[in-house]
Amino acid sequence: MNQYLLNGKLTAKPGHQEALAAILFQASKLVATAKGCRLYVIGKDKADSHSVYVTEIWDSKEDHDNSLKVEGVRELITQAMPLLDGPPAKGQELEIIGGTEI
């Protein structure tokens, strides 16, 4: 079974990038306990003051989907939605074929 990788970009309303990043950081702590979570990192581009990027690696897409059921995750999604400048774009879904581990 190949692992599942998701790259996502969320664009915040002006002035809300840090608040959005903080919510996603809280989410990272919750999903770190979920079955199959290998990586959940949040980043930002210095040249883009509105977006927050999330990269996730899971044992399977099913594990990723089930992470939305972790207690507290839905509440954080509800907090984040008003900070977004439009609906979140679908993330880039990739199947991992190899590489090195950190």
Side-chain angles (χ1 to χ4, degrees):
M1 174 174 48
N2 291 322
Q3 291 180 316
Y4 174 75
L5 186 151
L6 180 64
N7 282 320
K9 174 183 175 183
L10 296 110
T11 303
K13 292 177 182 173
H16 289 87
Q17 181 191 42
E18 293 299 324
L20 179 59
I23 291 169
L24 292 168
F25 183 67
Q26 290 176 359
S28 74
K29 292 179 181 181
L30 294 178
V31 299
T33 66
K35 176 184 175 288
C37 181
R38 300 294 172 188
L39 177 79
Y40 188 105
V41 294
I42 298 103
K44 61 182 180 177
D45 180 346
K46 290 181 181 181
D48 181 352
S49 63
H50 300 291
S51 298
V52 180
Y53 297 82
V54 179
T55 300
E56 305 174 55
I57 297 177
W58 295 86
D59 285 342
S60 68
K61 183 173 185 330
E62 180 181 19
D63 286 340
H64 168 266
D65 294 346
N66 287 333
S67 73
L68 297 174
K69 299 174 188 171
V70 171
E71 186 175 340
V73 169
R74 291 276 182 202
E75 291 81 1
L76 290 173
I77 291 170
T78 300
Q79 290 176 28
M81 292 305 286
L83 303 179
L84 297 178
D85 190 14
K90 180 173 173 28
Q92 183 181 28
E93 297 177 295
L94 302 169
E95 183 178 299
I96 296 174
I97 56 173
T100 59
E101 292 188 30
I102 297 174

